[in-house]
Amino acid sequence: MNRFLSLALFLLLTLGGGLLIGATNRPGEWYASLAKPVFNPPDWLFAPVWTALYILIAIVGWRTWRRGPTSKRMQVWWAQLILNFLWMPMFFGLQQMVLALLVILLLLAAIIAFMGLSWGKDRLATWLFAPYVLWTAYAALLNASLIGLN
């Protein structure tokens, strides 16, 4: 497959999937009514941050797929994407903050596992996931704080 076409497909999958899930699982009144920690970011920040992260996730997935479409690294990449796509419906759609925390902690573990597997094979992929692991750790802390406050 043409490398630019495959990159476009990874972008469509991750960015398109993330945007679709975000559009169908809006925070709404329930989230607005929750007590929030002092470090809660403004609502407008989530869309640009996740857009940038989904682009990085797509690039990393594409690089990994090109080097080993059935590799352990690719399997872990798919696992993190599934967990990523599950969190928002779990948190906002079903309003299950505790289950969402479990999902995001599994997501964080999958991201870290992917980075560990990638370090010796594709350092650029590892570094491209650095903002993702930081944001996900922050989101997990935010998720846990929302449980504690509510």
Side-chain angles (χ1 to χ4, degrees), residues 1-147:
M1 179 184 297
N2 177 303
R3 68 183 180 152
F4 295 112
L5 176 59
S6 59
L7 175 58
L9 290 174
F10 270 91
L11 285 166
L12 179 65
L13 171 70
T14 57
L15 188 57
L19 292 174
L20 178 64
I21 290 167
T24 57
N25 292 279
R26 308 293 300 164
E29 291 179 31
W30 168 78
Y31 182 74
S33 71
L34 295 175
K36 307 215 179 36
V38 296
F39 59 89
N40 192 71
D43 291 343
W44 62 264
L45 186 62
F46 289 98
V49 167
W50 275 112
T51 299
L53 291 174
Y54 281 131
I55 291 168
L56 294 176
I57 294 165
I59 292 168
V60 168
W62 171 72
R63 290 176 60 85
T64 305
W65 176 80
R66 289 189 68 217
R67 292 177 177 186
T70 61
S71 67
K72 178 71 170 174
R73 288 186 327 120
M74 194 72 224
Q75 292 170 17
V76 175
W77 185 89
W78 283 114
Q80 68 73 33
L81 188 66
I82 291 166
L83 290 164
N84 181 307
F85 284 176
L86 280 175
W87 184 85
M88 195 173 280
M90 186 68 62
F91 190 90
F92 294 115
L94 299 175
Q95 300 174 2
Q96 295 293 317
M97 290 192 289
V98 174
L99 289 175
L101 180 60
L102 176 61
V103 169
I104 204 167
L105 291 174
L106 290 171
L107 171 59
L108 190 56
I111 295 167
I112 292 167
F114 178 87
M115 294 174 77
L117 289 169
S118 293
W119 184 253
K121 297 186 185 322
D122 185 356
R123 288 232 173 131
L124 180 58
T126 305
W127 286 112
L128 290 175
F129 256 32
Y132 183 30
V133 75
L134 292 174
W135 182 261
T136 303
Y138 172 70
L141 178 62
L142 182 58
N143 190 156
S145 297
L146 289 168
I147 292 168

